Amino acid sequence: SQTIHQWPATLVQPVGSPLSLECTVEGTSNPNLYWYRQAAGRGLQLLFYSVGIGQISSEVPQNLSASRPQDRQFILSSKKLLLSDSGFYLCAWRLAGFYNEQFFGPGTRLTVL
Amino acid sequence: AQTVTQSQPEMSVQEAETVTLSCTYDTSENNYYLFWYKQPPSRQMILVIRQEAYKQQNATENRFSVNFQKAAKSFSLKISDSQLGDTAMYFCAFTGTSGTYKYIFGTGTRLKVLA
């Protein structure tokens, strides 16, 4: 069966510091991968998605970036965090070529101070 | 552009009662998929139910069922015999089939089940 991992679960970072959040999927090949951000009590904002290694599509221009160095690994990064980057970050995957549901990781709660 | 609207920010229901959460969407596509996700206090997003637009029959999963009205672009979720564990944020979501990779989510409905 497929599983999705995210780490860290919780992160507190100072403004201006770098960021690296990691997401990995097990049990499937060539998944479509997604990063979302959820502000407190709000809906999901799509940040990036990837349909293959090295292929990243950005939905929101900001100081975040994403990379997919391996088939089942998706990384969200920032060189310098802003206060507005605080939120709950969710990674998700779906089977490539299928318009079915997404499966979500457990999320990372990021607080920028 | 495709949109998903959930007009009920918060709802409450007594334990064992039935509640219906509303969702409307807008799209020009003829075939697409609709989903309801549950996000409990743990914040793990869990798929509750999905509906394929070309299927006439409404989807059901145990106590959860949908009322899919394609012409009206409506996709409501009915929870029967509500349980305390149903307390969560519920999100309606849409994805098209014309080569898109994106999912459009509503703003969510916070459901509280009262003992």
Side-chain angles (χ1 to χ4, degrees):
Chain A
S1 63
Q2 302 93 351
T3 55
I4 178 169
H5 304 279
Q6 276 187 254
W7 65 91
T10 306
L11 192 59
V12 179
Q13 293 284 92
V15 169
S17 64
L19 173 74
S20 181
L21 303 182
E22 189 164 341
C23 170
T24 60
V25 181
E26 295 178 358
T28 189
S29 296
N30 193 31
N32 295 156
L33 296 172
Y34 302 79
W35 278 113
Y36 290 91
R37 178 168 60 200
Q38 186 179 24
R42 305 288 294 276
L44 276 67
Q45 178 188 32
L46 178 62
L47 301 176
F48 301 95
Y49 65 91
S50 170
V51 300
I53 296 174
Q55 300 178 63
I56 309 295
S57 295
S58 173
E59 286 297 299
V60 183
Q62 54 201 347
N63 69 318
L64 299 174
S65 62
S67 62
R68 185 170 176 174
Q70 299 181 43
D71 181 43
R72 290 169 290 176
Q73 184 184 30
F74 205 23
I75 297 172
L76 183 69
S77 304
S78 174
K79 292 182 179 179
K80 289 186 178 182
L81 284 168
L82 306 173
L83 287 174
S84 58
D85 291 324
S86 292
F88 190 64
Y89 289 81
L90 285 160
C91 181
W93 73 275
R94 78 166 186 187
L95 286 170
F98 291 86
Y99 299 100
N100 51 12
E101 59 271 22
Q102 291 180 310
F103 298 95
F104 286 83
T108 295
R109 184 183 305 275
L110 172 66
T111 303
V112 183
L113 301 175
Chain B
Q2 291 134 345
T3 59
V4 174
T5 302
Q6 293 180 249
S7 58
Q8 305 153 314
E10 293 186 0
M11 295 188 73
S12 61
V13 62
Q14 292 291 332
E15 199 175 6
E17 297 292 307
T18 295
V19 64
T20 299
L21 309 183
S22 300
C23 173
T24 59
Y25 59 94
D26 191 24
T27 182
S28 58
E29 296 192 44
N30 190 49
N31 195 22
Y32 45 86
Y33 289 78
L34 296 161
F35 311 91
W36 278 98
Y37 282 90
K38 169 185 177 181
Q39 189 179 41
S42 67
R43 302 195 78 171
Q44 172 73 58
M45 291 282 283
I46 302 164
L47 177 71
V48 175
I49 200 165
R50 73 167 183 171
Q51 176 79 42
E52 298 165 68
Y54 67 88
K55 288 189 176 179
Q56 302 270 359
Q57 189 172 5
N58 288 326
T60 62
E61 287 288 341
N62 301 313
R63 298 183 295 108
F64 299 87
S65 61
V66 298
N67 183 5
F68 173 51
Q69 301 289 329
K70 191 173 183 179
K73 294 181 181 173
S74 171
F75 182 60
S76 60
L77 175 70
K78 185 171 83 171
I79 306 174
S80 304
D81 185 26
S82 296
Q83 301 175 359
L84 295 177
D86 295 334
T87 292
M89 195 79 165
Y90 287 82
F91 292 97
C92 179
F94 165 100
T95 191
T97 59
S98 59
T100 184
Y101 298 97
K102 300 180 192 178
Y103 291 71
I104 311 299
F105 284 81
T107 51
T109 296
R110 187 176 302 279
L111 177 67
K112 189 170 187 178
V113 180
L114 307 172

